[in-house]
Amino acid sequence: MSAAVMSRRDLQFLLFEWLDVVSLTGHPYFAEHSAETFNGLLEVCESLAADYFAPHNRLSDEHEPRIGEDGKVVLPDEVAAAVAAFAKADLIAAQFDESLGGMQLPLSVFQACMAWFQAANTATTGYLFLTIAAANLLQAHGSPKQVGEWVRPMLAGELFGTMCLSEPDAGSSLADVSTRAVRAEDGTYRVTGTKMWISAGDHELGNILHLVLARTGGPGVKGLSLVAVPKVLTDGRRNELALVGLNHKMGARGTTNTLLAFDGAVGHLIGEENRGLQYMFHMMNEARIGVGLVAAALGQAGYRKSLEYATVRMQGGATLVEHPDVRRMLLAQKSYVEGSSALVLRCAHLVDRQRTGEDTSLLLDILTPVAKSWPSQWCLEANSLAIQVHGGYGYSREFDVEQHYRDNRLNPIHEGTHGIQALDLLGRKVVMRDGAAFRAFTAAARQTLARAAELDEFAAPLGRLLERLERVTALITEPEHAAVGRANATAYLEAFGHVVLAWTWLDLVIAAHGKDGPFYDGKRAAARYFYRYELPAAHAKLDLLAGHDRTTLDLDPQSL
Amino acid sequence: MSAAVMSRRDLQFLLFEWLDVVSLTGHPYFAEHSAETFNGLLEVCESLAADYFAPHNRLSDEHEPRIGEDGKVVLPDEVAAAVAAFAKADLIAAQFDESLGGMQLPLSVFQACMAWFQAANTATTGYLFLTIAAANLLQAHGSPKQVGEWVRPMLAGELFGTMCLSEPDAGSSLADVSTRAVRAEDGTYRVTGTKMWISAGDHELGNILHLVLARTGGPGVKGLSLVAVPKVLTDGRRNELALVGLNHKMGARGTTNTLLAFDGAVGHLIGEENRGLQYMFHMMNEARIGVGLVAAALGQAGYRKSLEYATVRMQGGATLVEHPDVRRMLLAQKSYVEGSSALVLRCAHLVDRQRTGEDTSLLLDILTPVAKSWPSQWCLEANSLAIQVHGGYGYSREFDVEQHYRDNRLNPIHEGTHGIQALDLLGRKVVMRDGAAFRAFTAAARQTLARAAELDEFAAPLGRLLERLERVTALITEPEHAAVGRANATAYLEAFGHVVLAWTWLDLVIAAHGKDGPFYDGKRAAARYFYRYELPAAHAKLDLLAGHDRTTLDLDPQSL
């Protein structure tokens, strides 16, 4: 299929007409950039994604990583070529400081760049995504020596990163991490334990630096430190860590997923002892926004492909798109995936605005669990609709959409499950600083409402919903209701998510206001679809929450 | 994994405590049966499913059918052994007349039997399911000679059936079928054309009889006839039909799915010319109920397995099931899959009651699109929750649940897509005979409400919803609103489906009323979950419908 995996026009709308990323260049940190450099880079990414990533997307699903006779992981050759092309275009370094050889590209623009690669081939892009995340963490918390030794080769595409958090018996509960790191006389550490679900945990693309969450102190999350463990030591010897096995997944098959055994491996402490989780969480916002971006990009790919299919495929004497129910399935996808893309880029833009000195951290904090969970849930649904538009063809592996659906099913699981995002939102972000982050959100939404005088079709229902959300939030966070509130945290996450998306869509409609043509009409139609077909579900969830429903809290597991 | 794929206790509850299938034995047609024979057969099925079907469920997913060097389709040996064991237990014949060597088993009991096999291995069961459906059609519409020649060997497991409807360019739009059947001088037909997505379309389990929808008359569905085309002719020669290729699917991989080319193949007319679609539709109710059963059974399998996992897996110092959000995911699955099982068995029971002389056809007609679509949608969601309960393990192919999810994704597509079910419900069933089928449903629901005096928690919301459904249905079927109503037919299907499930759950709660213990408490909890967490969404959809929303109808495809 020759369909584009993303809409260039949509990315330009989001970046330039909506977020106005060019205004960032007024700040010294981004001053080297301009609309031209942004657009130029986006075009490069579109080309690279089409030339180096999309062509082997199915191949690396069908020929998933395996362990060769020499014990080394075998990937299709196309993976290394794609990674090299990405690195050669300086894209690994793009968002980093010039002092490290980076471009100081705004994260919002960089995420739009990444969207092309994630949509084209999320499995291969995974190696790069994880390396960028690791470099980012090291840049923030590593010593100057560590930055020099590791970040520079990472940005050059010579060293690859992983995040080693989960263990066979510790997934969502990081307090249970049992991998230990013991300080040796020379100041390095010896790491012993087993890490599970480690993406990109082994391959031959280059040396690997594992960022390992390991216990240096007592029990609980406070005894965890972050230790960097190279696969191959500087003297060329293999470190004491072994690939125990490859996990075989439903999707995202092209990214190696590994069970790793550390057996006294030499590691280097990042920052201070017992602050490992804090460092990880420092990077978690960006990692979670990144997961939201992957979900949105896969949603985009499925949407573009099913739209193209519906435009050419005849059925019952008409093209598919002429059937109203097919238009519904396409418009639903559009509302999910374009809304998700907007939310993710907005979050990245909040990071950029921090760069320019603005304090956007409260809003970013509260939006992050939504930016991770909402696209993961609804762009998966979009992929399901993309299959449905294709009919039987969509269920066959001759077409791409079934792979997007399988690939996307990962996103509600990793980097904090859906349920963990819900607890993060309601148990942490909503109540933090006496509700300051929550108020940052409602204030931002009200700013949008204040600019929506001529758009009462959207402003009125959003206004009502915001007020309800405030009342219900106050109600369920009262101490006597907190336990039942937490039991229904997922309902809260999903209701809150819908409100965030409704705000996002109104904001997009404002950016399209007074502009004519099918593109802008499409924005209005997708917003209308979202408000009319999807948003009312948020009220139902708020009803449930307001009733302090104890159905799940009180359920006797014996009756299941 | 050793988890049971179904709940024997639940099937017994549905059959004996709720539907009271034993009372069917008061009718001469079922008089040979008793609770003992029903239970005995269910136990046989449970054993056979565990011994012959479950063990190769993953194997036949990993080793999907291929074309061997001799051009023949290769399946794992276990498939033939399972099919033989099923046939040897006389299960293919179970629901057929004694005159054909059958057991005259009630369809409701037979569907409960099939649930074991579908949950254990839907791909292998597919060969049997299609053969039973074909035999059923032939029994109803074939000549005595055809019944003797084909139905008997089918029931013996020596001849296998297919349904050949779709073509590469005709999926949902059967009016576009272009395969032709031309009558020869000897009264047989010559069939020429290409059929796509033909499940079980080729294999070496035995000879195959294809029931082919082919054009004998003019354009449209009225020119279609049903022609039986054997793969191998009675003289042992291969008929003029070729396996062009195998389709490779996301799931349900163990069932061959084929592209078949008929090139003047010898066929035999079933019944009369130009009534082919009518014959197919005659069987469609049972086939669609059968699809609902597959969806429900796969939902059951995922539910049982994730429940077992949640009971033993520790996380954060507690078993998973001790976490309220995990209980929510299990209870949601329970409400979807047990509700779906009940709906499907009720529909089968309506067929049984027809056997005993009762006219249940109106209720059956209107429930069928729901029995097909609702389990296909919500038991897929159940499988997604089963994955989520497993965390990363659920996304790995080391566990079963990801396969159930992939297998189940077929069900909203085949035997009439989700959108086709919606048009069938709103465009045909609701308006047929001046709304008689719709009234048959509301009358049945009101009978249940009349027995729910002590269950106001459920009766009150269901009563309100029924009244709204009646008002909205009247509104959107008015001639001036019919076009926009049809454009929103899927919203109607989904709202109507929720009302049907709410009725089903209330009926189940009535059957459990006054009974103590965890099993019955579980029924009440699942019903409560459904009413509180899910049912309100139906109101939102009815709002949309009542507003005659034109968003999708008026959408300009250019703006997508």
Side-chain angles (χ1 to χ4, degrees), chain A residues 44 71 73 87 92 121 130 132 152 175 236 259 274 299 401 410 421 442 518:
Chain A
V44 166
V73 170
I92 304 178
N121 188 328
L130 286 161
I132 291 166
R152 287 179 174 277
L259 176 60
N274 301 334
V401 285
L410 174 61
Q421 302 304 318
T442 55

Side-chain angles (χ1 to χ4, degrees), chain B residues 65-381:
Chain B
R66 62 185 174 81
I67 301 176
E69 289 184 10
D70 57 1
K72 291 182 179 175
V73 170
V74 181
L75 301 180
D77 294 338
E78 288 84 349
V79 177
V83 165
F86 188 96
K88 197 178 162 202
D90 282 333
L91 286 165
I92 303 179
Q95 63 164 310
F96 288 81
D97 290 354
E98 280 177 12
S99 63
L100 291 165
M103 293 185 200
Q104 300 193 173
L105 191 69
L107 186 63
S108 48
V109 179
F110 182 64
Q111 292 285 28
C113 289
M114 285 298 276
W116 284 105
F117 297 100
Q118 297 288 9
N121 188 327
T122 187
T124 293
T125 308
Y127 298 99
L128 298 156
F129 172 81
L130 287 161
T131 299
I132 292 166
N136 220 338
L137 194 157
L138 290 168
Q139 178 201 227
H141 302 292
S143 66
K145 178 168 172 291
Q146 290 172 334
V147 171
E149 193 174 339
W150 296 323
V151 175
R152 286 180 176 277
M154 281 182 171
L155 301 192
E158 293 155 8
L159 177 65
F160 293 81
T162 76
M163 301 281 190
C164 298
L165 283 73
S166 294
E167 299 181 358
D169 291 316
S172 293
S173 62
L174 292 173
D176 294 345
V177 159
S178 67
T179 294
R180 294 204 64 87
V182 178
R183 190 181 168 92
E185 284 190 4
D186 64 357
T188 62
Y189 286 71
R190 296 296 171 273
V191 178
T192 304
T194 309
K195 290 291 181 179
M196 184 61 163
W197 308 124
I198 308 310
S199 289
D202 206 355
H203 54 70
E204 300 298 320
L205 298 168
N207 195 11
I208 300 172
L209 187 72
H210 300 284
L211 299 183
V212 181
L213 203 61
R215 194 166 297 285
T216 49
V221 294
K222 290 188 179 162
L224 297 173
S225 300
L226 191 62
V227 182
V229 180
K231 174 179 166 184
V232 177
L233 299 168
T234 42
D235 61 9
R237 280 185 306 127
R238 196 54 211 257
N239 206 345
E240 294 297 327
L241 72 103
L243 172 65
V244 179
L246 295 175
N247 298 309
H248 299 99
K249 295 163 292 169
M250 173 164 63
R253 296 187 181 191
T255 310
T256 47
N257 189 282
T258 58
L259 177 60
L260 298 176
F262 296 81
D263 186 17
V266 175
H268 307 270
L269 183 70
I270 308 295
E272 297 171 21
E273 276 197 2
N274 300 334
R275 299 186 64 184
L277 204 63
Q278 198 176 323
Y279 301 148
M280 280 286 187
F281 268 87
H282 179 93
M283 304 316 304
M284 207 63 100
N285 278 352
E286 283 186 43
R288 288 180 172 173
I289 294 167
V291 170
L293 181 89
V294 176
L298 289 169
Q300 290 272 7
Y303 170 53
R304 306 310 309 176
K305 290 172 187 178
S306 60
L307 175 58
E308 176 167 305
Y309 185 79
T311 307
V312 298
R313 168 81 174 171
M314 299 292 292
Q315 197 75 180
T319 57
L320 280 180
V321 78
E322 292 175 72
H323 297 275
D325 195 56
V326 173
R327 287 207 295 285
R328 173 189 65 83
M329 293 191 279
L330 293 167
L331 193 56
Q333 288 181 68
K334 184 178 172 78
S335 84
Y336 304 152
V337 305
E338 294 185 359
S340 292
S341 296
L343 173 60
V344 168
L345 293 185
R346 185 203 285 274
C347 287
H349 192 243
L350 291 173
V351 175
D352 293 331
R353 284 161 58 190
Q354 291 185 335
R355 267 289 179 203
T356 67
E358 205 180 332
D359 184 4
T360 61
S361 61
L362 285 173
L363 187 55
L364 183 62
D365 276 343
I366 199 156
L367 290 182
T368 296
V370 177
K372 194 274 180 183
S373 64
W374 204 93
S376 296
Q377 180 175 16
W378 290 98
C379 296
L380 178 67
E381 179 62 25

Side-chain angles (χ1 to χ4, degrees), chain A residues 255-337:
Chain A
T255 311
T256 47
N257 188 281
T258 58
L259 176 60
L260 299 176
F262 297 82
D263 185 17
V266 175
H268 307 269
L269 185 70
I270 307 297
E272 297 171 21
E273 276 195 4
N274 301 334
R275 299 186 63 184
L277 205 62
Q278 199 177 320
Y279 300 146
M280 280 284 187
F281 267 87
H282 179 93
M283 304 315 304
M284 206 63 100
N285 279 352
E286 283 187 43
R288 288 180 172 173
I289 294 167
V291 171
L293 180 88
V294 176
L298 289 170
Q300 288 273 7
Y303 170 53
R304 305 311 309 176
K305 290 172 188 179
S306 60
L307 175 58
E308 175 167 306
Y309 185 79
T311 307
V312 299
R313 167 81 173 170
M314 299 293 292
Q315 197 77 180
T319 57
L320 281 180
V321 79
E322 292 174 72
H323 297 277
D325 195 55
V326 173
R327 287 207 294 284
R328 173 189 66 83
M329 292 191 279
L330 293 166
L331 192 56
Q333 288 181 68
K334 184 178 172 77
S335 83
Y336 304 153
V337 305

Side-chain angles (χ1 to χ4, degrees), chain A residues 196-237:
Chain A
M196 185 61 162
W197 309 123
I198 308 310
S199 289
D202 205 356
H203 54 70
E204 300 298 321
L205 299 168
N207 195 9
I208 300 171
L209 187 72
H210 301 285
L211 299 183
V212 181
L213 203 62
R215 194 166 296 287
T216 49
V221 294
K222 291 189 178 161
L224 297 174
S225 299
L226 190 61
V227 183
V229 181
K231 174 180 164 183
V232 177
L233 298 168
T234 42
D235 61 9
R237 280 184 305 126

Side-chain angles (χ1 to χ4, degrees), chain B residues 343 370 373-374 425 491-502 530:
Chain B
L343 173 60
V370 177
S373 64
W374 204 93
L425 176 65
Y492 185 80
L493 175 73
E494 294 178 357
F496 188 95
H498 265 38
V499 179
V500 168
L501 266 287
F530 186 75

Side-chain angles (χ1 to χ4, degrees), chain A residues 64 167-173 176 196-197 246-253 303-304 307 313-317 321-322 324-325 327-328 330-331 334 380 383-385 387-388 391-398 402 405-410 412-413 417-419 486-488 490-491 494 518-519 521-523 525 528-529 532-533 536-537 540-541 544 549-560, chain B residues 64 167-173 176 196-197 246-253 303-304 307 313-317 321-322 324-325 327-328 330-331 334 380 383-385 387-388 391-398 402 405-410 412-413 417-419 486-488 490-491 494 518-519 521-523 525 528-529 532-533 536-537 540-541 544 549-560:
Chain A
E64 63 190 323
E167 300 182 356
D169 291 316
S172 293
S173 62
D176 294 345
M196 185 61 162
W197 309 123
L246 295 174
N247 297 311
H248 298 99
K249 293 163 293 168
M250 174 164 63
R253 295 187 181 190
Y303 170 53
R304 305 311 309 176
L307 175 58
R313 167 81 173 170
M314 299 293 292
Q315 197 77 180
V321 79
E322 292 174 72
D325 195 55
R327 287 207 294 284
R328 173 189 66 83
L330 293 166
L331 192 56
K334 184 178 172 77
L380 177 66
N383 286 156
S384 187
L385 290 170
I387 291 173
Q388 199 69 17
Y393 292 93
Y395 194 65
S396 95
R397 307 206 297 278
E398 263 70 16
E402 68 85 28
Y405 179 66
R406 284 187 291 108
D407 288 353
N408 222 347
R409 186 60 189 80
L410 174 61
I413 298 173
T417 63
H418 198 66
R486 274 197 303 277
N488 290 318
T490 296
E494 294 178 358
F519 178 82
D521 289 343
K523 288 293 173 201
R528 195 165 290 135
Y529 171 86
R532 295 184 182 181
Y533 286 71
K541 289 189 196 292
L544 179 86
D549 195 285
R550 302 181 62 92
T551 306
T552 58
L553 187 63
D554 292 348
L555 179 71
D556 175 5
Q558 294 298 317
S559 64
L560 282 167
Chain B
E64 62 189 325
E167 299 181 358
D169 291 316
S172 293
S173 62
D176 294 345
M196 184 61 163
W197 308 124
L246 295 175
N247 298 309
H248 299 99
K249 295 163 292 169
M250 173 164 63
R253 296 187 181 191
Y303 170 53
R304 306 310 309 176
L307 175 58
R313 168 81 174 171
M314 299 292 292
Q315 197 75 180
V321 78
E322 292 175 72
D325 195 56
R327 287 207 295 285
R328 173 189 65 83
L330 293 167
L331 193 56
K334 184 178 172 78
L380 178 67
N383 286 156
S384 186
L385 289 170
I387 291 173
Q388 199 69 17
Y393 291 94
Y395 194 65
S396 94
R397 308 206 297 279
E398 263 69 18
E402 68 84 28
Y405 180 66
R406 285 187 291 107
D407 288 353
N408 222 347
R409 184 62 188 81
L410 174 60
I413 297 173
T417 63
H418 198 67
R486 274 197 304 278
N488 290 319
T490 297
E494 294 178 357
F519 178 82
D521 289 343
K523 289 292 173 202
R528 196 165 289 135
Y529 171 87
R532 295 184 183 181
Y533 286 70
K541 289 189 197 291
L544 179 85
D549 196 285
R550 302 181 62 90
T551 305
T552 57
L553 187 63
D554 292 346
L555 179 71
D556 176 5
Q558 295 298 321
S559 64
L560 283 167

